[in-house]
Each structure stands twice: as C-alpha cells, then as structure tokens.
Amino acid sequence: MTETVIHPAIENRPNAFTQAEIGWTPWLQPLEEVELTERHWAGLVDASRAKSPYFMLLARDPDILGARTKTDKDIFYNVLAGLPRAERELAATAASRANGCIFCASVHSRFASHHSKRTEDVQRLLDEGLQADLGSRWNAVVEASVALTATPSQFGADEIRRLREEGLDDLEIADVIHGAAFFNWANRLMLSLGEPTPAA
Amino acid sequence: MTLQNRDIIDFLAGIEPGSRLDGLRAQRPETRLNAQKSHEALFEPEHWGSVTPAERFAAAVFVAGLHKAPDIANFYSSKLRDEAHGPELVAIIGAELEVGDTTGPYGHYPVGPLSREDKPGLVYEVSGESRNLLDPKLSAALEHIHLLVFRPREASAGALQKLLDAGWTTTGIVTLSQLVAFLAFQIRVVTGLKALAASSAAIGQVAQA
C-alpha cells in the first residue's frame, strides 16, 4: 500500500513565514525502520535521521540522499574560511523566502538569528519580504540570493560587484552562491513531497 | 575522480585546472566531491530503479531549457540522443520548451496573510501534439517538472497523485524530485561560478590597464 498519496488532516496549517519550530509531514509513504538496508543507513548519513519522516521518504533513493546530505553539511558547516555561518543561513532564508518554502525558511531563519543575534532583522525579512532593509551588507547577500533563485537566474556582474563593495572576497561570494543554490534544491523537495505542520 | 580532474560542474562552467575558480573550489573539497557524487547518483547510478536513463536525461533537458541554460541543456541533450528514440525526444522537448516558456518563481500561497503576495502565472500542460507522441509517464513528468521549476509553492498531494496515476512509483517520484531539485542547484552553481570567473577576469584586466 505504498503507491498512494497521503492527505494529512492538519488543523491550522502554517500560512505565514515564521521562526517558530514548525513541523513537516509527507504526502508519500516514508520507509519504515525495519525496511532499511545497509545502503539506506549509509544514505541517511546520521542514524538519528531514521526518526525523520522527511529523510525516511528520501531514503527511498539512498545514494542521492547521502551525497546531497554531505553537500549540504559542507556548504553550511565548513566555516574554517569563507562566509560567516549567519550569512550562509541568511542566503538560505532569502532563497526559501523567494521560492515560498515556509518550512525551510522557519529552520534557516532560526539559524540566521541564532548565529547573528539579529532576530528582529531576520523577522523583518520574513514579514516584509525581500525588499526589507536589513542594512547594506545583508541587503547585498539577500539580493544576490534572490537573483540567483530567479528562473532563469538573474545573478551576474551587478550582484558580484555589490558583494565585493561590502567586503566579500571571492571565496565568500562562492559561499553565497552555494548557500542560495543549495536551497533551490532543498526548497523543491520540502515543498513538493509534503507540507508544514503547526508548532507543537 | 581526483580533484586534479575536472568534474561536471567544472566542465559546464568552463573551469580549467589551475585557474582561479579551480583554486576556489579546491577550498571546498567536500562540496565539490559530493556535488559530483550527486550528479553520478542521478545520471550514472548503480541502481536505475524504475526511472530509465531516457527519462532522466529527458527531464534534465527540460529543466535546463526552462532555466535558459543552453550549454547545460545541450550537454543533457547529447546524453539523451544516445538513448532509444533520443533524437525524437530532444525534438519534442524543444517544442515543449516554447510552450512552457516563462519566468519564476510564482504561484499562490496557502490562504492567509501571504495571499497578497500571490503571483498568478502559466500552468503548463503538455501540448496535444506532444502528448500523442510521449508515453503518459513522461508527459506527466514534464508537467510536474514545470511545477517544480517555476511554482514549487503550488506543489500538492494532488500533483503527486497525477504522477502515480501516470505510472510513477513512490520511489520513482522521490528520484524524479531529487533530479529536478538537484539540477536547480547545479544550474545555479554553474551560473554563479561562471559569473564569478568572468568578474574576476574583468578585475584582472582593470588591474593590468
């Protein structure tokens, strides 16, 4: 009975961007823990992800899940050099805000707030949208992320010049590119395979 | 593949070994390695599952075409041409790219405070002529791909039901979703890095002048 769609009954579906800890529920049947082979466990990367319906659904194709997870972790957590973590999370939030992924924006706006301590500015990005004035440097990161998120992409020399004017070097600009580009991947999975649920 | 060799992003972005951009990418070896492994997991997998090579490359040609990334679309077209009926599929998808031509992201939000940001736009359907030539599975995939590329915020359980009805399995839908979503990443990394390479070169010229 896996080949049917799940229609979850959700009261008070999230309908606005938020930094609250909302949940997510799938529209397709995730794997059960008893079904996992060694290949599935490898794809999950962290065994704790077997508790997540999102990762257990993606585990149906474990090889791409594993490579995707490792790409994700390096783009966001490898901060030995390059862009500060807060601004990588800002790029992720801006891309998610532009694509309309309420769930992804909730997670990464929380991270952006945590690492920057600028919770109110992050909230203005969620409430007012992509035109919110967050100060010159953050505006440049948001504009670049949104330009790259457009289809077709509108990212080019103007966005790079703005980022350089704010003091970003080429590695940091490459980090903005990867952070925003990665959320064009994540948003499309989160938006298309299930939906957000209200904070508990 | 070692880091001394060019990977698929290097190839698509025109990054040469030893260039400035090659040096930048070398500072993120895990990202580089796993972006490549992601590509291989989708386009050269050990287990093809229920999604055929022709379906994967056809999807990729459509995604890259919708992003107006002609070099990337040509790369995937060349792979598709090697499959059975590949040349015909390339031609059909070329015609469908004109039907589906638009700019995004757009679409409506769940009803509420975000409704004021709703942006209506094209709801693409495969043209009648192409529908007669394509099998139902690939027709349904093209319509779903257009949804994911341009108006992912309008995705729904109903859209997944259409894929199941057309012969996609649950696991096949996961693979198709990863493929479209991964390409949305790959195309943007290539676009971004190409722009960065061009801009670094321009700065170099100013410095020399």
Side-chain angles (χ1 to χ4, degrees), chain B residues 125-136:
Chain B
E125 287 180 20
V126 174
S127 63
E129 201 178 328
S130 297
R131 199 177 292 277
N132 291 333
L133 297 168
L134 294 171
D135 68 35

Side-chain angles (χ1 to χ4, degrees), chain A residues 124-137:
Chain A
R124 297 217 332 280
L125 175 63
L126 297 181
D127 292 343
E128 296 169 24
L130 302 162
Q131 305 304 319
D133 182 2
L134 309 177
S136 180
R137 179 169 162 124

